[in-house]
Amino acid sequence: MSELIKIRNYVNGKLVDPVMGKYLENINPASGEVYALIPDSDGKDVDAAVKYAKEAFHSWSKTSIEYRHDILSKISDLIRDNLKLLAKAESKDNGKPLWLAKEVDIPRAAANFKFFANAITLFASQAHETDQTAINYTIRRPLGVVSCISPWNLPLYLFTWKIAPALAAGNTVVAKPSELTPMTAFLLSTICMEAGLPAGVLNIVHGYGHSAGQAMVSHDDVKAVSFTGGTETGQKIATLAAPKFKKLSLELGGKNPNIIFADCDYDDMLATTIQSSFSNQGQICLCGSRIFVERPIYEKFKKDFVEAVRKLKVGHPDQPDTRIGALVSASHLDKVKSYLELAKEEGGKILFGGKEVIVEGFENGYYLEPAIIEGLAFDCRTNQEEIFGPVVSIMPFDTEKEVLEYANSVRYGLSCSIWTQNLKRATRISSEIEAGIVWVNTWMLRDLRTPFGGMKDSGIGREGGLDALNFFTEAKNVCIKY
Ligand code: NAD
């Protein structure tokens, strides 16, 4: 076996070993092989990182906007310059197709830094005149040390989505990527060093959520936590943070509806629905896992969808024609498979897929055929709980009222797609649907200025654009009487 890559923490501008010298194994999901070691950091590593971040805050928070713009922009450029290296690392760590990492994940990470480097130059505070007797002006200041904790599904994409606005607004950061996909965050450390980011401004501590992550959330000197991950983890974080009155942004799970009316642009809908169902092996919080199809086109959709999904190649992430790569871990594969069993127990029929796939030369990888289920009630567990894998359930409906009831029946409220040419219907459903993000005749078309986040158990707060900069700053109003 070739020598294992050793990932290190990034603290006070340097790459360092974890204080206790302990490491976790990092597995390549496409082959099932251990290929790297990850610091198994704990409270001691977090304490050190927070201490340096606190020291760095004094000068970083007072730097000019132009200075921060230039450094963040440089980081963005370096991410672009290292596109191939980062995409390869992301694909190997996560199991996603290499072309996807190249086309989406890494360009988006660069775009996050560029966007917030620019956004901060336009971030202005407000003034309000009160009845011609006084003027109010609002000062917005960074919070101090903040923590950014991200999941494994879009590793560098979501990590930078939090770090970039936090740094742009003048905070210093102690961040943790998922212990399942730490590699691109590690590579980001070296990019930040090359870009000249001052020591201590960004600190990246690797390790488990229950140790390193929890230590960040509980630390008295961490003023805010921006978290993306599962709803249950979000609950734990909220419980720890609430007594200390920390600011919280929580982007959590989803069980998103994809509502298809008979009058839709059928070909566009079908092509997009394949993506919204199975992109990134269905491991995107925005994937539409509950597909409601108006009855007049249900049978046609079912036939065409199954036929198209059958053609999606499950294979090694490096192969350019792979459409479905490996799932992120053995335990996640087991979880997804257990939901397929549950679906059968609940009366569902698997129309296609759901079997493990053996990829030649990579027999220990975590590969699964994309699965389409029908015949399930809208309120059964398979249709209510987040599976977060390549599994969708298709259901016919007859009326708008009925489909809204089905769509809104879950605890989640992250996103929704609506397919119709009828503008009145699209606006009616957009207004009634319980989701933070609604797409009409599209899916995952992102504009970084828009508020991003979920309702109900999908989270608290919004990221993106001014919402992110508002989150990472605290407002102080000054009222002066004329
Ligand atoms: P997870 O909750 O298991 O882990 C997310 C991160 O939190 C990891 O870095 C983990 O180490 C850390 N963590 C775990 N326990 C912690 C604790 N007690 N204290 C502090 N940190 C802790 O989620 P995951 O399995 O990595 O990701 C999948 C989930 O993320 C899915 O539910 C998915 O819907 C959700 N997600 C949501 C969005 C969104 O924008 N709403 C985006 C992507 C993923």
Side-chain angles (χ1 to χ4, degrees):
M1 191 166 54
S2 56
E3 206 179 319
L4 300 180
I5 302 167
K6 201 175 193 187
I7 290 175
R8 300 173 85 201
N9 288 335
Y10 173 51
V11 177
N12 196 27
K14 297 183 201 70
L15 297 178
V16 297
D17 292 320
V19 175
M20 299 307 287
K22 290 199 283 181
Y23 287 85
L24 312 167
E25 291 185 333
N26 190 19
I27 294 173
N28 172 354
S31 66
E33 282 166 9
V34 176
Y35 81 104
L37 294 174
I38 314 161
D40 181 5
S41 312
D42 63 15
K44 292 188 190 61
D45 302 282
V46 171
D47 285 349
V50 174
K51 175 178 151 289
Y52 288 118
K54 205 174 163 187
E55 283 170 21
F57 179 71
H58 296 293
S59 49
W60 180 252
S61 59
K62 293 187 184 67
T63 52
S64 68
I65 282 170
E66 287 70 24
Y67 177 74
R68 275 179 268 146
H69 164 273
D70 288 352
I71 291 208
L72 297 187
S73 203
K74 181 90 199 287
I75 296 173
S76 171
D77 294 342
L78 288 170
I79 292 175
R80 281 207 169 274
D81 294 348
N82 287 286
L83 174 75
K84 277 191 186 153
L85 171 86
L86 289 163
K88 181 79 193 147
E90 199 72 296
S91 164
K92 190 166 181 178
D93 232 13
N94 171 277
K96 68 178 68 212
L98 179 57
W99 62 263
L100 184 67
K102 259 190 208 152
E103 283 176 25
V104 178
D105 291 72
I106 307 306
R108 174 57 195 277
N112 288 340
F113 270 105
K114 195 64 92 182
F115 176 83
F116 284 108
N118 291 328
I120 197 63
T121 65
L122 301 170
F123 188 50
S125 55
Q126 297 163 301
H128 303 90
E129 188 177 54
T130 307
D131 300 333
Q132 297 185 16
T133 59
I135 185 81
N136 288 272
Y137 64 90
T138 304
I139 301 170
R140 281 207 164 260
R141 291 269 162 79
L143 305 171
V145 181
V146 300
S147 254
C148 300
I149 302 178
S150 58
W152 50 258
N153 64 323
L154 305 169
L156 193 64
Y157 175 138
L158 290 175
F159 198 55
T160 54
W161 179 234
K162 298 177 175 303
I163 289 171
L167 295 178
N171 301 279
T172 53
V173 175
V174 176
K176 194 190 88 60
S178 168
E179 61 277 20
L180 293 173
T181 52
M183 193 55 82
T184 46
F186 173 53
L187 297 172
L188 181 69
S189 320
T190 54
I191 286 179
C192 289
M193 290 157 85
E194 198 183 333
L197 188 70
V201 169
L202 170 64
N203 303 271
I204 301 175
V205 179
H206 295 270
Y208 284 127
H210 61 76
S211 48
Q214 201 150 315
M216 289 174 194
V217 176
S218 320
H219 200 296
D220 286 341
D221 287 333
V222 169
K223 300 299 175 202
V225 178
S226 175
F227 169 80
T228 298
T231 294
E232 278 67 32
T233 315
Q235 277 167 337
K236 274 189 211 154
I237 289 177
T239 309
L240 289 169
K244 298 190 176 176
F245 305 112
K246 292 177 192 239
K247 245 179 144 175
L248 268 186
S249 168
L250 300 175
E251 298 291 341
L252 310 175
K255 186 79 179 176
N256 310 307
N258 180 6
I259 304 175
I260 300 167
F261 286 92
D263 70 345
C264 67
D265 176 334
Y266 188 83
D267 294 342
D268 190 12
M269 175 281 295
L270 188 65
T272 309
T273 294
I274 292 161
Q275 286 180 21
S276 66
S277 303
F278 299 118
S279 280
N280 204 40
Q281 297 69 248
Q283 302 167 143
I284 303 181
C285 54
L286 305 167
C287 278
S289 51
R290 295 179 298 147
I291 305 178
F292 300 106
V293 187
E294 206 178 7
R295 202 172 303 273
I297 60 163
Y298 181 79
E299 288 303 325
K300 175 173 166 54
F301 171 80
K302 176 171 134 182
K303 182 172 155 290
D304 294 345
F305 189 53
V306 169
E307 216 164 90
V309 172
R310 200 186 289 280
K311 290 187 194 135
L312 298 176
K313 186 187 155 190
V314 181
H316 191 276
D318 283 356
Q319 290 163 355
D321 58 344
T322 288
R323 286 294 164 274
I324 311 277
L327 268 66
V328 74
S329 67
S331 65
H332 191 55
L333 175 65
D334 286 345
K335 177 189 152 183
V336 175
K337 284 194 314 189
S338 76
Y339 271 103
L340 290 165
E341 287 309 309
L342 176 69
K344 285 187 237 165
E345 283 164 27
E346 291 184 318
K349 179 176 171 205
I350 300 192
L351 295 175
F352 173 75
K355 293 194 203 72
E356 271 189 76
V357 176
I358 304 293
V359 174
E360 209 187 320
F362 304 97
E363 287 76 8
N364 294 323
Y366 316 131
Y367 300 96
L368 187 73
E369 286 173 348
I372 305 167
I373 311 169
E374 84 163 344
L376 288 172
F378 76 92
D379 55 355
C380 70
R381 278 185 56 205
T382 312
N383 271 334
Q384 293 283 315
E385 297 175 16
E386 186 184 43
I387 301 175
F388 212 56
V391 178
V392 294
S393 167
I394 63 172
M395 288 161 274
F397 71 89
D398 293 299
T399 65
E400 247 179 75
K401 187 169 173 287
E402 177 193 10
V403 79
L404 266 170
E405 184 198 339
Y406 297 166
N408 287 339
S409 67
V410 294
R411 67 190 284 218
Y412 300 106
L414 189 54
S415 72
C416 167
S417 277
I418 304 164
W419 290 92
T420 179
Q421 306 268 29
N422 180 330
L423 185 60
K424 283 189 179 171
R425 174 152 64 198
T427 51
R428 264 197 312 270
I429 299 200
S430 302
S431 119
E432 293 299 316
I433 196 82
E434 292 165 0
I437 303 151
V438 180
W439 281 295
V440 177
N441 298 330
T442 185
W443 175 72
M444 220 173 146
L445 181 60
R446 293 281 292 120
D447 179 326
L448 303 192
R449 295 168 299 182
T450 59
F452 179 94
M455 291 182 174
K456 295 157 82 177
D457 290 2
S458 290
I460 301 177
R462 294 294 181 269
E463 295 186 328
L466 293 182
D467 287 281
L469 294 176
N470 280 335
F471 175 75
F472 284 116
T473 52
E474 176 123 54
K476 180 196 286 179
N477 191 71
V478 180
C479 174
I480 304 176
K481 191 164 182 287
Y482 291 154

